[in-house]
Amino acid sequence: MTDASAAHRSRLAIVGSGPAGLTAAIYAARASLKPVVISGVPAGGQLMLTTDVENYPGFPEGIQGPQLMEKFRAQAERFGAVFVDANVTAVDFRVHPFRLEVGLSGRVEADAVILATGANARWLDLPAEQRLRGHGVSACATCDGFFFRGKEVAVIGGGDSAMEEALFLTTFATQVTVIHRRGELRASRIMVDRAKANPKISFVFDTEVVDVLGGETVEGLRLRHRKTGAISQLKANGLFLAIGHTPATEVFRGHVDLDPKGYLKTSEVTRTSVAGVFAAGDAYDHRYRQAVTAAGLGCMAALDAERFLADHHVGAPAPTGATAAGSTTL
């Protein structure tokens, strides 16, 4: 944990501490850029809400999400990355060095910036849903579908993402029930046809989930029909939310280009609309949303930032406020 109550000057600032931000920190630190990582509160990204991670390379027995993020951070600190455990509250990319206001009264100034703030899955905000996240409630079938082999699951949503999740889950589950609050699906016709043609997938329309049942794991769902108000129960061992994600980019609005959904717009993979400001991870990748792809994008953003600094002959200023790798007196 570090303090964020004064100015800090760095060649590179990285905003975010999920797989993208921490991989960028590892590469940048090894390149002697002495990156400052503004980790956010809470730190660690979506993997901090994940239990077993079995699809990240290098861990044949699997690893807990928070443990994986701890290893990422320790590796970045080993090479000299400095962490500021605070949120970015404002930015100014019109001036150089770029300015990032952090915490209550701190500031980071940097010659280049990597934005890796991620995206947050949308939830139903039910108490039991929050309690059972990682214990049967998930927002990523690709990540967690394997754990539901031979079980019955439900998917909430009516768009293409929901159809993709449902189709993927049929590889493992015996039955997949798609629950949609409207009377018609919003997904594209081809995705609807594929889902309806799959004998493992059934549909419940005009219905919303009002409670998730179960003690240690999901055992079922309590449903309410939106037109009649009738309450029913559905047996399910898993619940997958596919109602969209919200990119954590609002603080950057008006400073870099965003697409209509709020994701960072890029060219040449990681370059944003501002020279010297780069994007990595789910803050702009709304297609794959995997830890391993986020890490790869973090690597690319760090390499692009390093090249930008070299091409623009930005020197390495003497760091102020740094006391040791992984800590700062900001």
Side-chain angles (χ1 to χ4, degrees), residues 50-55 143-151 172:
T50 305
T51 51
D52 294 320
V53 178
E54 294 193 334
N55 56 2
C143 309
D144 300 325
F146 176 83
F147 300 110
F148 295 88
R149 187 178 297 276
K151 298 182 179 181
F172 309 101

Side-chain angles (χ1 to χ4, degrees), residues 104-250:
L104 297 177
S105 58
R107 173 184 291 177
V108 172
E109 296 182 351
D111 299 306
V113 177
I114 294 174
L115 307 179
T117 46
N120 300 311
R122 295 175 186 161
W123 303 91
L124 300 177
D125 293 328
L126 301 172
E129 169 203 52
Q130 298 179 28
R131 177 173 55 82
L132 291 170
R133 288 183 192 178
H135 299 278
V137 175
S138 172
C140 180
T142 308
C143 309
D144 300 325
F146 176 83
F147 300 110
F148 295 88
R149 187 178 297 276
K151 298 182 179 181
E152 299 178 24
V153 301
V155 174
I156 298 180
D160 281 348
S161 294
M163 299 305 103
E164 290 173 1
E165 299 274 277
L167 287 164
F168 179 82
L169 287 166
T170 60
T171 305
F172 309 101
T174 58
Q175 178 67 35
V176 179
T177 302
V178 176
I179 303 169
H180 188 40
R181 64 193 306 272
R182 296 185 175 87
E184 295 182 358
L185 298 169
R186 297 178 292 105
S188 60
R189 175 51 53 188
I190 188 171
M191 293 303 298
V192 171
D193 290 344
R194 287 177 183 173
K196 288 187 173 181
N198 193 304
K200 287 188 176 182
I201 300 177
S202 60
F203 297 85
V204 177
F205 293 104
D206 293 314
T207 299
E208 59 188 3
V209 175
V210 295
D211 198 8
V212 183
L213 308 177
E216 299 298 322
T217 62
V218 173
E219 298 175 5
L221 306 174
R222 182 172 288 115
L223 310 178
R224 184 179 72 86
H225 194 273
R226 300 184 71 239
K227 292 184 177 180
T228 66
I231 300 296
S232 62
Q233 290 189 13
L234 174 72
K235 178 185 176 183
N237 305 115
L239 173 63
F240 289 83
L241 281 295
I243 53 178
H245 287 73
T246 302
T249 58
E250 192 60 32

